[in-house]
Amino acid sequence: MSTHIAAEAGQIAPRVLLPGDPLRAKFIAENFLENVQCYSSVRNMLGFTGTYKGKEVSVQGTGMGTPSQGIYVNELIQFYGAKRLIRVGTCGSIDPTLRLRDMVIVQAAATDSGMNHNRFGIHGILYPPVADFRLLREAVDASERLGYPARVCTTFSSDQFYDENGEEKDKLLLKYGVSCVEMECSELFTLGARFGVQALGILTVSDMIFEKEYCSAKEREQSFTRMMEVALETI
Ligand code: HPA
């Protein structure tokens, strides 16, 4: 039992999928895993362990933003021995060639997060949060094997969903090769590096930020299923 997760030692698998939404965690467990057990419902931030093709996999809701991501990822790694962690979620696209429902495998995360500012900024350091290369390669291989195209991208892990200066920041980042915006990958990658475990993000584009276009519920569901297959084959 850790502060925010009520599992006993051994109840969480070394392979963990991380959706932001706890009800997404429940949906994944019920629809993609077998022999499922719920190991925690503290704060309704649900966590489940089950099997996928005989492989033990956990799925843990993390909430939104880097502080919440940091709480769950720290506890999964330090208390429960998580070794391979993949965030599965949605992102907004700022790149006109990256369209609604496209799948993104995240290679690196630019960030304005206060978390990394607190860690590194006071030393004048700009730290580069990057995904684990082996996990990244396995995800690319899985997407090719399954025939589901995916783009390897750099994301912007933003602290603010409602950011008055968001458009200015997104336009600047696009010029420097950043394609999408979400709110968690930088913290996951930073903690993966800190504790020597493998971390990756696999995302689906749910909105075009500049064009103000959004996926319908049905489109979200179909693209979510493809992303989950890639994540489960990879983890
Ligand atoms: N901004 C931040 N996070 C997001 C977005 C967005 O537009 N879409 C999905 N996650």
Side-chain angles (χ1 to χ4, degrees), residues 5 19 37 80 142 179 224 226:
I5 303 176
Q37 275 202 321
Y80 298 102
S179 303
F224 180 76
R226 289 201 303 266

Side-chain angles (χ1 to χ4, degrees), residues 18-72:
L18 302 167
D21 178 354
L23 293 180
R24 215 15 101 68
K26 185 165 186 273
F27 182 87
I28 293 166
E30 286 173 352
N31 291 279
F32 295 93
L33 302 182
E34 294 176 316
N35 313 309
V36 170
Q37 275 202 321
C38 178
Y39 60 72
S40 184
S41 58
V42 176
R43 289 175 178 251
N44 283 328
M45 197 58 83
L46 303 170
F48 302 84
T49 298
T51 56
Y52 175 77
K53 296 186 178 174
K55 177 169 75 175
E56 199 176 48
V57 176
S58 294
V59 50
Q60 171 67 54
T62 65
M64 292 177 280
T66 52
S68 189
Q69 181 81 187
I71 287 171
Y72 292 98

Side-chain angles (χ1 to χ4, degrees), residues 17-168:
L17 299 177
L18 302 167
D21 178 354
L23 293 180
R24 215 15 101 68
K26 185 165 186 273
F27 182 87
I28 293 166
E30 286 173 352
N31 291 279
F32 295 93
L33 302 182
E34 294 176 316
N35 313 309
V36 170
Q37 275 202 321
C38 178
Y39 60 72
S40 184
S41 58
V42 176
R43 289 175 178 251
N44 283 328
M45 197 58 83
L46 303 170
F48 302 84
T49 298
T51 56
Y52 175 77
K53 296 186 178 174
K55 177 169 75 175
E56 199 176 48
V57 176
S58 294
V59 50
Q60 171 67 54
T62 65
M64 292 177 280
T66 52
S68 189
Q69 181 81 187
I71 287 171
Y72 292 98
V73 171
N74 259 297
E75 293 184 21
L76 287 167
I77 296 171
Q78 297 199 64
F79 290 87
Y80 298 102
K83 298 283 185 233
R84 288 163 75 87
L85 302 99
I86 302 181
R87 162 164 152 65
V88 284
T90 57
C91 61
S93 171
I94 56 175
D95 176 342
T97 69
L98 184 68
R99 306 303 303 178
L100 287 180
R101 300 173 61 193
D102 283 356
M103 196 188 321
V104 170
I105 299 173
V106 183
Q107 179 172 35
T111 189
D112 62 359
S113 169
M115 302 288 277
N116 273 0
H117 185 71
N118 284 329
R119 285 187 181 102
F120 302 111
I122 50 167
H123 304 292
I125 293 169
L126 301 173
Y127 174 79
V130 292
D132 177 78
F133 175 70
R134 288 157 298 168
L135 216 45
L136 177 77
R137 182 157 67 182
E138 286 168 38
V140 171
D141 288 347
S143 81
E144 286 177 358
R145 214 169 43 242
L146 290 164
Y148 301 151
R151 280 259 298 270
V152 175
C153 292
T154 300
T155 189
F156 172 41
S157 298
S158 170
D159 257 2
Q160 299 182 74
F161 188 89
Y162 299 105
D163 186 349
E164 280 184 299
N165 302 306
E167 188 163 334
E168 195 183 328

Side-chain angles (χ1 to χ4, degrees), residues 90-92 161 181-183 206-207 209:
T90 57
C91 61
F161 188 89
V181 182
E182 44 73 66
M183 302 182 70
S206 62
D207 51 296
I209 290 183

